[in-house]
PDB file of all heavy atoms in Angstrom:
ATOM      1  N   TYR A  58     104.032  -8.873  38.052  1.00 97.00           N
ATOM      2  CA  TYR A  58     104.133  -7.596  37.356  1.00 97.00           C
ATOM      3  C   TYR A  58     104.030  -7.881  35.821  1.00 97.00           C
ATOM      4  O   TYR A  58     103.367  -7.091  35.158  1.00 97.00           O
ATOM      5  CB  TYR A  58     105.329  -6.804  37.679  1.00 97.00           C
ATOM      6  CG  TYR A  58     105.252  -6.115  39.003  1.00 97.00           C
ATOM      7  CD1 TYR A  58     106.175  -6.242  39.961  1.00 97.00           C
ATOM      8  CD2 TYR A  58     104.137  -5.251  39.220  1.00 97.00           C
ATOM      9  CE1 TYR A  58     106.088  -5.612  41.219  1.00 97.00           C
ATOM     10  CE2 TYR A  58     103.975  -4.504  40.398  1.00 97.00           C
ATOM     11  CZ  TYR A  58     104.994  -4.674  41.396  1.00 97.00           C
ATOM     12  OH  TYR A  58     104.850  -3.986  42.549  1.00 97.00           O
ATOM     13  N   LYS A  59     104.643  -8.833  35.346  1.00 98.00           N
ATOM     14  CA  LYS A  59     104.625  -9.173  33.853  1.00 98.00           C
ATOM     15  C   LYS A  59     103.190  -9.645  33.445  1.00 98.00           C
ATOM     16  O   LYS A  59     102.626  -8.968  32.532  1.00 98.00           O
ATOM     17  CB  LYS A  59     105.678 -10.294  33.535  1.00 98.00           C
ATOM     18  CG  LYS A  59     105.610 -10.754  32.109  1.00 98.00           C
ATOM     19  CD  LYS A  59     106.459  -9.908  31.269  1.00 98.00           C
ATOM     20  CE  LYS A  59     106.730 -10.477  29.866  1.00 98.00           C
ATOM     21  NZ  LYS A  59     105.656 -10.738  28.990  1.00 98.00           N
ATOM     22  N   ASP A  60     102.630 -10.526  34.217  1.00 97.00           N
ATOM     23  CA  ASP A  60     101.351 -11.034  33.786  1.00 97.00           C
ATOM     24  C   ASP A  60     100.175 -10.079  34.083  1.00 97.00           C
ATOM     25  O   ASP A  60      99.271  -9.971  33.178  1.00 97.00           O
ATOM     26  CB  ASP A  60     101.070 -12.414  34.579  1.00 97.00           C
ATOM     27  CG  ASP A  60     101.997 -13.485  34.183  1.00 97.00           C
ATOM     28  OD1 ASP A  60     102.730 -13.414  33.200  1.00 97.00           O
ATOM     29  OD2 ASP A  60     102.132 -14.446  35.002  1.00 97.00           O
ATOM     30  N   LYS A  61     100.115  -9.553  35.226  1.00 96.00           N
ATOM     31  CA  LYS A  61      98.973  -8.783  35.612  1.00 96.00           C
ATOM     32  C   LYS A  61      99.005  -7.245  35.204  1.00 96.00           C
ATOM     33  O   LYS A  61      97.890  -6.607  35.164  1.00 96.00           O
ATOM     34  CB  LYS A  61      98.751  -8.795  37.144  1.00 96.00           C
ATOM     35  CG  LYS A  61      98.299 -10.157  37.644  1.00 96.00           C
ATOM     36  CD  LYS A  61      97.857 -10.137  39.056  1.00 96.00           C
ATOM     37  CE  LYS A  61      96.691  -9.352  39.425  1.00 96.00           C
ATOM     38  NZ  LYS A  61      95.445  -9.794  38.768  1.00 96.00           N
ATOM     39  N   TYR A  62     100.178  -6.763  34.815  1.00 97.00           N
ATOM     40  CA  TYR A  62     100.301  -5.347  34.569  1.00 97.00           C
ATOM     41  C   TYR A  62     100.870  -5.052  33.150  1.00 97.00           C
ATOM     42  O   TYR A  62     100.247  -4.603  32.276  1.00 97.00           O
ATOM     43  CB  TYR A  62     101.052  -4.630  35.647  1.00 97.00           C
ATOM     44  CG  TYR A  62     100.422  -4.815  36.978  1.00 97.00           C
ATOM     45  CD1 TYR A  62     100.991  -5.759  37.950  1.00 97.00           C
ATOM     46  CD2 TYR A  62      99.253  -4.215  37.375  1.00 97.00           C
ATOM     47  CE1 TYR A  62     100.283  -6.014  39.149  1.00 97.00           C
ATOM     48  CE2 TYR A  62      98.614  -4.342  38.560  1.00 97.00           C
ATOM     49  CZ  TYR A  62      99.170  -5.298  39.446  1.00 97.00           C
ATOM     50  OH  TYR A  62      98.516  -5.502  40.682  1.00 97.00           O
ATOM     51  N   TRP A  63     102.130  -5.541  32.871  1.00 98.00           N
ATOM     52  CA  TRP A  63     102.796  -5.309  31.586  1.00 98.00           C
ATOM     53  C   TRP A  63     102.012  -5.856  30.466  1.00 98.00           C
ATOM     54  O   TRP A  63     101.726  -5.182  29.500  1.00 98.00           O
ATOM     55  CB  TRP A  63     104.192  -5.855  31.683  1.00 98.00           C
ATOM     56  CG  TRP A  63     105.066  -5.554  30.438  1.00 98.00           C
ATOM     57  CD1 TRP A  63     105.237  -6.438  29.488  1.00 98.00           C
ATOM     58  CD2 TRP A  63     105.790  -4.386  30.188  1.00 98.00           C
ATOM     59  NE1 TRP A  63     106.027  -5.885  28.482  1.00 98.00           N
ATOM     60  CE2 TRP A  63     106.410  -4.657  28.938  1.00 98.00           C
ATOM     61  CE3 TRP A  63     106.009  -3.174  30.829  1.00 98.00           C
ATOM     62  CZ2 TRP A  63     107.211  -3.726  28.310  1.00 98.00           C
ATOM     63  CZ3 TRP A  63     106.859  -2.279  30.210  1.00 98.00           C
ATOM     64  CH2 TRP A  63     107.429  -2.544  28.953  1.00 98.00           C
ATOM     65  N   ASP A  64     101.646  -7.110  30.617  1.00 98.00           N
ATOM     66  CA  ASP A  64     101.010  -7.836  29.517  1.00 98.00           C
ATOM     67  C   ASP A  64      99.562  -7.271  29.387  1.00 98.00           C
ATOM     68  O   ASP A  64      98.990  -7.150  28.296  1.00 98.00           O
ATOM     69  CB  ASP A  64     100.963  -9.300  29.668  1.00 98.00           C
ATOM     70  CG  ASP A  64     102.273  -9.933  29.450  1.00 98.00           C
ATOM     71  OD1 ASP A  64     103.241  -9.315  28.949  1.00 98.00           O
ATOM     72  OD2 ASP A  64     102.570 -11.152  29.873  1.00 98.00           O
ATOM     73  N   THR A  65      98.841  -7.039  30.556  1.00 97.00           N
ATOM     74  CA  THR A  65      97.456  -6.608  30.501  1.00 97.00           C
ATOM     75  C   THR A  65      97.367  -5.247  29.789  1.00 97.00           C
ATOM     76  O   THR A  65      96.286  -5.069  29.091  1.00 97.00           O
ATOM     77  CB  THR A  65      96.952  -6.519  31.972  1.00 97.00           C
ATOM     78  OG1 THR A  65      96.926  -7.841  32.513  1.00 97.00           O
ATOM     79  CG2 THR A  65      95.469  -6.065  31.960  1.00 97.00           C
ATOM     80  N   VAL A  66      98.290  -4.316  29.951  1.00 98.00           N
ATOM     81  CA  VAL A  66      98.184  -3.052  29.246  1.00 98.00           C
ATOM     82  C   VAL A  66      98.819  -3.113  27.895  1.00 98.00           C
ATOM     83  O   VAL A  66      98.963  -2.078  27.212  1.00 98.00           O
ATOM     84  CB  VAL A  66      98.754  -1.843  30.127  1.00 98.00           C
ATOM     85  CG1 VAL A  66      98.035  -1.727  31.393  1.00 98.00           C
ATOM     86  CG2 VAL A  66     100.273  -2.063  30.342  1.00 98.00           C
ATOM     87  N   LYS A  67      99.273  -4.344  27.520  1.00 98.00           N
ATOM     88  CA  LYS A  67      99.893  -4.495  26.202  1.00 98.00           C
ATOM     89  C   LYS A  67     100.944  -3.539  25.893  1.00 98.00           C
ATOM     90  O   LYS A  67     101.187  -2.902  24.864  1.00 98.00           O
ATOM     91  CB  LYS A  67      98.770  -4.456  25.084  1.00 98.00           C
ATOM     92  CG  LYS A  67      97.709  -5.446  25.208  1.00 98.00           C
ATOM     93  CD  LYS A  67      96.740  -5.470  24.094  1.00 98.00           C
ATOM     94  CE  LYS A  67      95.805  -6.589  24.131  1.00 98.00           C
ATOM     95  NZ  LYS A  67      94.890  -6.673  25.227  1.00 98.00           N
ATOM     96  N   ALA A  68     101.857  -3.397  26.931  1.00 98.00           N
ATOM     97  CA  ALA A  68     102.946  -2.416  26.921  1.00 98.00           C
ATOM     98  C   ALA A  68     103.880  -2.540  25.623  1.00 98.00           C
ATOM     99  O   ALA A  68     104.241  -1.572  25.076  1.00 98.00           O
ATOM    100  CB  ALA A  68     103.702  -2.442  28.203  1.00 98.00           C
ATOM    101  N   GLU A  69     104.136  -3.743  25.270  1.00 97.00           N
ATOM    102  CA  GLU A  69     105.062  -3.981  24.136  1.00 97.00           C
ATOM    103  C   GLU A  69     104.525  -3.477  22.856  1.00 97.00           C
ATOM    104  O   GLU A  69     105.273  -3.183  21.856  1.00 97.00           O
ATOM    105  CB  GLU A  69     105.364  -5.502  23.929  1.00 97.00           C
ATOM    106  CG  GLU A  69     106.139  -6.163  24.978  1.00 97.00           C
ATOM    107  CD  GLU A  69     107.600  -5.692  25.017  1.00 97.00           C
ATOM    108  OE1 GLU A  69     108.113  -5.241  23.888  1.00 97.00           O
ATOM    109  OE2 GLU A  69     108.242  -5.812  26.042  1.00 97.00           O
ATOM    110  N   GLN A  70     103.154  -3.220  22.767  1.00 98.00           N
ATOM    111  CA  GLN A  70     102.599  -2.746  21.510  1.00 98.00           C
ATOM    112  C   GLN A  70     102.393  -1.206  21.531  1.00 98.00           C
ATOM    113  O   GLN A  70     101.929  -0.647  20.565  1.00 98.00           O
ATOM    114  CB  GLN A  70     101.174  -3.484  21.356  1.00 98.00           C
ATOM    115  CG  GLN A  70     101.307  -4.937  21.121  1.00 98.00           C
ATOM    116  CD  GLN A  70      99.983  -5.627  20.957  1.00 98.00           C
ATOM    117  OE1 GLN A  70      99.125  -5.197  20.165  1.00 98.00           O
ATOM    118  NE2 GLN A  70      99.721  -6.623  21.784  1.00 98.00           N
ATOM    119  N   LEU A  71     102.691  -0.574  22.654  1.00 98.00           N
ATOM    120  CA  LEU A  71     102.582   0.797  22.748  1.00 98.00           C
ATOM    121  C   LEU A  71     103.848   1.577  22.362  1.00 98.00           C
ATOM    122  O   LEU A  71     104.893   0.944  22.336  1.00 98.00           O
ATOM    123  CB  LEU A  71     102.186   1.216  24.186  1.00 98.00           C
ATOM    124  CG  LEU A  71     100.915   0.652  24.784  1.00 98.00           C
ATOM    125  CD1 LEU A  71     100.809   0.930  26.262  1.00 98.00           C
ATOM    126  CD2 LEU A  71      99.702   1.242  24.015  1.00 98.00           C
ATOM    127  N   PRO A  72     103.772   2.835  22.024  1.00 96.00           N
ATOM    128  CA  PRO A  72     104.894   3.614  21.738  1.00 96.00           C
ATOM    129  C   PRO A  72     105.955   3.580  22.833  1.00 96.00           C
ATOM    130  O   PRO A  72     105.577   3.489  24.040  1.00 96.00           O
ATOM    131  CB  PRO A  72     104.466   4.946  21.438  1.00 96.00           C
ATOM    132  CG  PRO A  72     102.991   4.884  21.188  1.00 96.00           C
ATOM    133  CD  PRO A  72     102.533   3.652  21.976  1.00 96.00           C
ATOM    134  N   ALA A  73     107.209   3.496  22.517  1.00 95.00           N
ATOM    135  CA  ALA A  73     108.242   3.301  23.545  1.00 95.00           C
ATOM    136  C   ALA A  73     108.145   4.325  24.717  1.00 95.00           C
ATOM    137  O   ALA A  73     108.325   3.978  25.882  1.00 95.00           O
ATOM    138  CB  ALA A  73     109.587   3.372  22.914  1.00 95.00           C
ATOM    139  N   SER A  74     107.787   5.598  24.351  1.00 93.00           N
ATOM    140  CA  SER A  74     107.817   6.667  25.358  1.00 93.00           C
ATOM    141  C   SER A  74     106.671   6.526  26.393  1.00 93.00           C
ATOM    142  O   SER A  74     106.712   7.187  27.421  1.00 93.00           O
ATOM    143  CB  SER A  74     107.808   8.046  24.796  1.00 93.00           C
ATOM    144  OG  SER A  74     106.603   8.108  24.055  1.00 93.00           O
ATOM    145  N   VAL A  75     105.612   5.699  26.069  1.00 96.00           N
ATOM    146  CA  VAL A  75     104.514   5.643  27.024  1.00 96.00           C
ATOM    147  C   VAL A  75     104.427   4.212  27.611  1.00 96.00           C
ATOM    148  O   VAL A  75     103.696   4.016  28.541  1.00 96.00           O
ATOM    149  CB  VAL A  75     103.131   5.978  26.362  1.00 96.00           C
ATOM    150  CG1 VAL A  75     103.125   7.377  25.951  1.00 96.00           C
ATOM    151  CG2 VAL A  75     102.813   5.028  25.231  1.00 96.00           C
TER     152      VAL A  75
END
Side-chain angles (χ1 to χ4, degrees):
Y58 281 128
K59 175 85 166 63
D60 296 343
K61 291 189 67 64
Y62 304 101
W63 183 264
D64 290 345
T65 300
V66 299
K67 298 183 172 66
E69 290 289 338
Q70 297 177 52
L71 297 174
S74 66
V75 297

